């Protein structure tokens, strides 16, 4: 609910910033957007960490695929609205979507039902006797489990970094070739089309072979794809679109991987008594991903301007 409310605030401030031509409101809109996305992702983390180990990878990969489906529809819709009507239409569409998200979030509360819930979710309740997490508790959790965060955690940082960077590489390269809003939206949509179509491979790799067999190939393909952006292969719009497809395939191989690794470790550390709850472990783990998503665009901007 908090996440949906933040997204609603994002839509309202976005529309207002365009109407009043106020940049600070646009910045506030992006802040609300980030808060909403993180709240949703943390709730997804905690909910699917209840899944049995044998189906956890498939469940997380499926949810990751649905998220990517939104990333597929969003760029092409936003670029079409912006080019055909104006940028205000894009903010208005975002506001309508946030209202729909809030309604869907409230639906299970207003009309509770166990019929459509999966077996492992039917008895999930908040235990009032469970120790409460705090910022200090999360810091202690990171200190006690520093090896997790220094190894698998760093790998997830690089994964999120390069996933965010790839979108910026594609758009910046197309801008340098003289492409317009429609062409940029089409290229990003191509990326997420391959991302969605190939996402089931991630669940198969994680479930059959292990989590690293999803993480390592994805990092390798994404790294090669971003490197090829600096070659003659990306000197045309067609070449850039083909590389966008290749990058989408690489991203698909790690659909839900970072979440799955974090959930596996959280369940294990709770059993070992090295953290009081899965939430206390997963919150800083999610922060790892946020660091990667923050560094991706920043590094691309620094490289391009340098």
């Amino acid at each position: 609910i908090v996440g949906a409310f933040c997204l609603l605030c994002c839509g309202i401030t976005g529309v207002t910033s365009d109407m009043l031509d106020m940049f600070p409101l646009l910045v506030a809109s992006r802040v609300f957007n980030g808060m909403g996305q993180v709240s949703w992702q943390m709730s997804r983390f905690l909910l699917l960490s209840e899944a049995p180990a044998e189906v956890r990878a498939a469940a997380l990969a499926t949810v990751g695929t649905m998220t990517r489906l939104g990333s597929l529809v969003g760029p092409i819709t936003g670029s079409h609205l912006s080019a055909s009507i104006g940028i205000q239409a894009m903010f208005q569409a975002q506001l309508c979507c946030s209202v729909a998200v809030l309604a869907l979030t409230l639906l299970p509360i207003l009309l509770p039902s166990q019929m459509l819930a999966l077996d492992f979710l039917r008895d999930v309740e908040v235990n009032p006797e469970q120790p409460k997490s705090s910022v200090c508790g999360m810091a202690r959790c990171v200190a006690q489990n520093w090896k997790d965060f220094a190894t698998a955690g760093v790998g997830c940082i690089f994964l999120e970094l390069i996933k965010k960077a790839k979108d910026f590489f594609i758009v910046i390269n197309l801008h340098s070739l003289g492409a317009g809003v429609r062409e940029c939206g089409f290229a990003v949509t191509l990326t997420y089309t391959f991302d969605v179509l190939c996402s089931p491979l991630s669940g198969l790799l994680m479930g059959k072979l292990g989590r690293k067999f999803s993480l390592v190939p994805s990092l390798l393909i994404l790294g090669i794809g971003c490197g090829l952006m600096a070659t003659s292969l990306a000197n045309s719009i067609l070449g850039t679109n083909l590389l966008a497809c290749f990058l989408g395939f690489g991203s698909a191989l790690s659909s839900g991987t970072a979440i799955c690794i974090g959930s596996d470790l959280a369940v294990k550390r709770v059993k070992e008594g090295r953290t009081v709850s899965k939430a206390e472990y997963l919150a800083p783990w999610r922060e790892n991903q946020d660091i990667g998503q923050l560094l991706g665009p920043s590094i691309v901007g620094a490289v391009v301007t340098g």
Side-chain angles (χ1 to χ4, degrees):
I1 294 175
V2 171
F5 181 74
C6 288
L7 292 175
L8 180 62
C9 292
C10 168
I12 293 172
T13 51
V15 171
T16 307
S17 70
D18 185 67
M19 293 174 61
L20 301 180
D21 197 21
M22 294 181 63
F23 182 72
L25 281 178
L26 179 61
V27 173
S29 174
R30 301 311 302 158
V31 171
F32 280 124
N33 182 68
M35 292 169 61
Q37 289 194 35
V38 170
S39 298
W40 145 245
Q41 288 165 355
M42 273 304 301
S43 64
R44 178 180 60 174
F45 267 37
L46 293 171
L47 192 63
L48 293 181
S49 66
E50 300 290 339
E54 60 272 14
V55 300
R56 191 178 301 141
L60 288 166
T62 302
V63 173
T65 301
M66 297 307 296
T67 303
R68 282 163 165 75
L69 184 60
S71 298
L72 186 158
V73 176
I76 194 70
T77 304
S79 60
H80 176 72
L81 289 173
S82 180
S84 302
I85 303 174
I87 196 168
Q88 187 177 8
M90 190 166 56
F91 287 118
Q92 291 171 346
Q94 185 181 28
L95 177 60
C96 293
C97 288
S98 63
V99 172
V101 170
L102 182 60
L104 289 171
T105 306
L106 291 173
L107 186 62
I109 298 174
L110 299 176
L111 298 172
S113 173
Q114 297 284 329
M115 293 180 62
L116 299 179
L118 297 173
D119 292 339
F120 64 85
L121 296 179
R122 290 183 179 175
D123 298 322
V124 175
E125 296 180 354
V126 176
N127 183 2
E129 298 180 358
Q130 185 178 13
K132 304 300 181 182
S133 300
S134 64
V135 175
C136 292
M138 293 175 193
R140 285 193 300 270
C141 174
V142 173
Q144 290 176 348
N145 302 284
W146 66 271
K147 289 184 179 180
D148 293 346
F149 290 90
T151 52
V154 171
C156 291
I157 288 177
F158 282 113
L159 178 64
E160 294 300 323
L161 186 156
I162 200 166
K163 279 187 173 184
K164 277 294 178 183
K166 73 175 179 13
D167 295 342
F168 284 84
F169 275 128
I170 293 167
V171 173
I172 289 173
N173 190 67
L174 285 172
H175 271 299
S176 69
L177 295 172
V181 175
R182 289 183 188 274
E183 288 82 2
C184 292
F186 177 74
V188 175
T189 300
L190 268 181
T191 304
Y192 284 100
T193 299
F194 274 76
D195 204 334
V196 170
L197 293 177
C198 301
S199 287
L201 291 174
S202 175
L204 291 174
L205 289 171
M206 288 192 291
K208 301 294 184 182
L209 301 176
R211 309 328 188 205
K212 62 184 177 183
F213 287 92
S214 171
L215 178 63
V216 175
S218 178
L219 281 171
L220 184 62
I221 293 173
L222 287 169
I224 292 172
C226 288
L228 290 175
M229 280 288 179
T231 68
S232 58
L233 292 173
N235 286 347
S236 66
I237 293 178
L238 176 60
T240 303
N241 285 340
L242 291 175
L243 285 176
C245 297
F246 182 68
L247 288 166
F249 170 70
S251 179
L253 292 181
S254 58
S255 174
T257 301
I259 307 174
C260 195
I261 294 172
S263 298
D264 290 345
L265 290 171
V267 171
K268 186 176 180 180
R269 299 307 176 227
V270 168
K271 290 180 179 178
E272 293 173 349
R274 294 169 63 178
T275 182
V276 299
S277 66
K278 292 189 288 289
E280 186 177 80
Y281 187 96
L282 288 172
W285 186 268
R286 171 61 211 177
E287 195 69 28
N288 266 6
Q289 293 182 261
D290 290 336
I291 291 171
Q293 293 179 4
L294 173 66
L295 291 177
S298 304
I299 291 175
V300 172
V303 170
V304 171
T305 55

